[in-house]
Each structure stands twice: as structure tokens, then as C-alpha cells.
Amino acid sequence: MKKLLLFISAIALLGISSCSKNDVNEISQAEKENLVKHAIIEFNKSAIKTGKYQVLISEIAQKSVTGDLDDLEELLQEFLGDQTQSFLNVYYKILELNLTEDEFFAIANQFEYLRIDTTGASKEDTDGCCTLADSSDNDPIGWLIRVACGCGSDDGVGDQGDNTND
């Protein structure tokens, strides 16, 4: 009887642990949406409202005029180093998700109302913003910058206009 009870307990434990592994590895769409929304909110607080975003974009605009765009990655790393811990926590969680650019923008477009209007920037600043965003492909920081400055909206990135069912 003890052997049977031990055998049943072992089977139950294996069943529970295999279910737990599946739950840990899969992140629901709602969790992804919540994380992207939170990233946009934290980016607004950490970068845009503090003026750090505008400083970065102005630097990029100046460098794009002179053609000295070799150290964009270094500027991005400095920019990330100046952000709040709350933003960095969300940013690194998004990195861990391994979202594709299209998946990110499909989610981010749902939260267009969270975008802080940065259209008061000059044409050069907007160009600098788009240059930076384009140079940081496959990196959520570039995607967030693109959301902030409105780049990519006319090239169809993240455009949800085509809602065909497969």
C-alpha cells in the first residue's frame, strides 16, 4: 500500500511540475500588452518629461548634419544609463521577451493615446530622432524612440490597417 501511495504521489508530482514549466515559459498576450504599455509610460516619465529625450535627439540631429554618426550606439548606452530604474526594469523585461519589431508595434499602436506629442521639435530634431530609431533596429529602445517621435508611421511599421484573417 505504501509503494502504491508513493507511486501515485510521484506521478502527481511529475504531472504538476510539467504543467508548471509550460506556464512559466509562456507569456500571455495580455501580459505582453501590459508590459509594452508600461514601457511607454515609463519612457514618458524617465526620458521625455525629464528632457533627456530632447537632449539626445538634439545631439543626434547635430551629428547627422555633420555626418558623424559613428557613435550612435555609445549615445544610446549613455541615454539608457541616464534613465530611471523603473524604466530600465521594464526595458530589460521587454528584451527578455524577444518580441519582434512588428509584434511590438502591433501592441504599441493600441496605446497611441499614451504618446506624448513631440511635434514641437524642429525638422532637424525629428530627422535626428528617426535616424536614431532606424539605427537601433531589433532593440526596444529604438522602437520606443520611434513611438515617441512618430517615425515609422508612414512606412507601415506596426500599421494595423490590414486586418485580414488567415
Side-chain angles (χ1 to χ4, degrees):
M1 184 69 163
K2 289 182 180 180
K3 288 183 180 181
L4 182 61
L5 186 58
L6 181 62
F7 179 72
I8 292 172
S9 297
I11 296 288
L13 184 60
L14 285 174
I16 291 171
S17 68
S18 67
C19 291
S20 298
K21 289 179 185 177
N22 290 340
D23 292 342
V24 170
N25 292 335
E26 294 180 18
I27 296 177
S28 72
Q29 185 66 22
E31 290 172 315
K32 289 178 184 179
E33 290 172 1
N34 189 37
L35 196 55
V36 170
K37 178 182 179 181
H38 193 60
I40 293 169
I41 291 169
E42 289 300 325
F43 185 78
N44 288 341
K45 289 179 189 176
S46 180
I48 296 176
K49 289 183 179 178
T50 61
K52 295 173 186 174
Y53 168 81
Q54 189 59 39
V55 169
L56 175 70
I57 298 307
S58 295
E59 285 180 30
I60 299 300
Q62 290 173 355
K63 290 185 181 280
S64 68
V65 168
T66 63
D68 184 25
L69 295 173
D70 295 336
D71 58 350
L72 284 179
E73 185 63 33
E74 184 178 315
L75 288 172
L76 271 178
Q77 291 305 315
E78 280 181 38
F79 178 71
L80 278 173
D82 289 341
Q83 302 312 304
T84 64
Q85 191 61 46
S86 297
F87 170 74
L88 291 175
N89 291 341
V90 175
Y91 171 75
Y92 290 122
K93 286 179 185 177
I94 287 180
L95 279 175
E96 289 173 10
L97 284 180
N98 291 324
L99 291 175
T100 65
E101 184 176 5
D102 290 338
E103 191 176 13
F104 177 86
F105 281 106
I107 295 169
N109 284 340
Q110 298 173 28
F111 305 111
E112 180 67 26
Y113 64 93
L114 293 174
R115 188 168 77 84
I116 294 178
D117 186 16
T118 58
T119 57
S122 68
K123 168 83 168 106
E124 292 79 22
D125 285 354
T126 303
D127 290 345
C129 171
C130 294
T131 298
L132 178 61
D134 290 342
S135 70
S136 56
D137 285 335
N138 297 321
D139 187 345
I141 192 65
W143 304 340
L144 286 165
I145 290 170
R146 192 175 298 157
V147 166
C149 65
C151 298
S153 58
D154 53 13
D155 66 3
V157 174
D159 189 20
Q160 291 186 332
D162 183 22
N163 289 332
T164 58
N165 293 332
D166 293 330

